[in-house]
Amino acid sequence: MDCRPGCAACCIAPSISSPIPGMPQGKPAGVRCIQLDAADRCKLFGSPDRPRVCGSLPPEPEMCGDSRDSAIRWLTQLERQTSATAH
């Protein structure tokens, strides 16, 4: 499956604990990654500077759903379920 153009849900909804160029402390959940361009494409795609976790999250029908909003909801729910404060 290919990413939906202009989606970027996986670059917004989840937290990223590793450093990102321009975000040395990582990225909190729900915050737009600084490395997204105006068309919501990753400026680090294919670069060794791209966090490993980003490459480990391939697009899948269940995660991506039928829209950006459904992908944001799914990823936000996953973030909540897997956060350190989850019970």
Side-chain angles (χ1 to χ4, degrees), residues 2-3 10-11 35-36 41-51 54-55 57-59:
D2 291 329
C3 288
C10 60
C11 302
Q35 293 299 329
L36 283 173
R41 290 180 302 223
C42 178
K43 294 186 276 186
L44 297 177
F45 193 85
S47 164
D49 292 334
R50 184 177 182 216
C54 297
L57 187 62

Side-chain angles (χ1 to χ4, degrees), residues 42-85:
C42 178
K43 294 186 276 186
L44 297 177
F45 193 85
S47 164
D49 292 334
R50 184 177 182 216
R52 181 179 290 161
V53 68
C54 297
S56 71
L57 187 62
E60 295 186 11
E62 182 181 12
M63 177 179 73
C64 299
D66 61 2
S67 68
R68 177 186 190 175
D69 288 340
S70 71
I72 293 269
R73 282 191 302 274
W74 195 92
L75 287 162
T76 298
Q77 179 180 354
L78 181 64
E79 177 70 27
R80 287 184 188 136
Q81 291 171 348
T82 59
S83 74
T85 59

Side-chain angles (χ1 to χ4, degrees), residues 15-20 24-27 53:
S15 61
I16 298 175
S17 58
S18 58
I20 301 166
Q25 303 302 315
K27 183 193 86 59
V53 68

